[in-house]
Amino acid sequence: DSGVTQTPKHLITATGQRVTLRCSPRSGDLSVYWYQQSLDQGLQFLIQYYNGEERAKGNILERFSAQQFPDLHSELNLSSLELGDSALYFCASSIQAGGSTDTQYFGPGTRLTVL
Amino acid sequence: AQKITQTQPGMFVQEKEAVTLDCTYDTSDQSYGLFWYKQPSSGEMIFLIYQGSYDEQNATEGRYSLNFQKARKSANLVISASQLGDSAMYFCAIKMNYGGSQGNLIFGKGTKLSVKP
């Protein structure tokens, strides 16, 4: 158990809908990262927050947004869902804002299925 | 741009034997970190081992060790005394040192390891 929690574990929804994925980082970690894992794209970085502020953006679609709250938990909002958004979404946390030595610990993931 | 290459889509190893999973990377930066993660069929991503670009010694963590060859830009994972529970996907990843301002991981496509009894 990494100490990172994600809810829900599974989510099934229809095209055009909006969903919210939730993540609580490890105790003491200030950074939260969101990654998407799909069969065709592999593991891709979406976005990073550090202590409530957006720090870095990756291949995140405009239909997707995220935020980190004062208690450091984070939510990833996915809207106007398409079939291609079906994937495993991971949250990871780390102590620092970045740096090559800062290990990221991953949550169990949320498996999103868009029908 | 940084890139990770894992050339072995799948590998088999006999239980109790050692196995090496290959990872090469491409970066022009001097300061970076290399990470290996394990993803069992249940889906979670488990951190295994870390190697810093300036570390002179190869990293070790229990049955996991890194064969780090900086000049060749390779960071191969060695698993000793394989166990059935080692059957999983293994991902190599690199993280740059942007002065501590950001630090997303860049992953390879992974290697699926199957341990035979």
Side-chain angles (χ1 to χ4, degrees), chain B residues 38-109:
Chain B
K38 171 184 177 182
Q39 186 176 37
S41 57
S42 52
E44 71 268 33
M45 292 285 286
I46 302 166
F47 166 69
L48 295 178
I49 195 167
Y50 159 82
Q51 178 84 44
S53 60
Y54 291 115
D55 292 344
E56 294 185 355
Q57 304 262 8
N58 286 337
T60 61
E61 198 70 53
R63 293 187 298 112
Y64 304 108
S65 61
L66 260 175
N67 182 0
F68 180 49
Q69 298 184 49
K70 191 171 181 177
R72 298 182 64 181
K73 294 188 177 179
S74 74
N76 299 337
L77 177 70
V78 180
I79 305 175
S80 63
S82 297
Q83 302 172 356
L84 295 178
D86 294 334
S87 294
M89 283 290 290
Y90 288 82
F91 291 94
C92 179
I94 190 169
K95 188 146 76 81
M96 314 313 297
N97 191 19
Y98 296 118
S101 64
Q102 66 183 72
N104 55 284
L105 291 162
I106 299 166
F107 285 90
K109 293 190 181 301

Side-chain angles (χ1 to χ4, degrees), chain A residues 9 33 35 37 40-41 43-45 48 55-56 88 90 97-108 111, chain B residues 31-35 37 39 42-45 47 50 91 95-98 100-105 107-109:
Chain A
K9 193 164 176 61
Y33 305 78
Y35 292 87
Q37 185 179 31
D40 52 347
Q41 299 287 337
L43 271 156
Q44 289 207 58
F45 167 68
Q48 176 199 359
R55 187 65 66 137
L88 186 54
F90 284 109
S100 58
T101 64
D102 190 31
T103 298
Q104 294 178 24
Y105 294 90
F106 282 70
R111 185 167 295 280
Chain B
S31 181
Y32 49 87
L34 294 154
F35 299 79
Y37 287 85
Q39 186 176 37
S42 52
E44 71 268 33
M45 292 285 286
F47 166 69
Y50 159 82
F91 291 94
K95 188 146 76 81
M96 314 313 297
N97 191 19
Y98 296 118
S101 64
Q102 66 183 72
N104 55 284
L105 291 162
F107 285 90
K109 293 190 181 301

Side-chain angles (χ1 to χ4, degrees), chain A residues 4 23-35 45 47-56 67-69 71-74 91-99 102-107, chain B residues 95 100-104:
Chain A
V4 179
C23 166
S24 292
R26 294 187 320 156
S27 177
D29 284 359
L30 298 178
S31 266
V32 168
Y33 305 78
W34 286 97
Y35 292 87
F45 167 68
I47 197 165
Q48 176 199 359
Y49 279 83
Y50 175 74
N51 205 20
E53 292 189 5
E54 182 184 303
R55 187 65 66 137
Q67 54 184 325
Q68 186 180 29
F69 295 86
D71 66 353
L72 300 177
H73 90 271
S74 178
C91 166
S93 74
S94 69
I95 294 173
Q96 300 168 17
D102 190 31
T103 298
Q104 294 178 24
Y105 294 90
F106 282 70
Chain B
K95 188 146 76 81
S101 64
Q102 66 183 72
N104 55 284

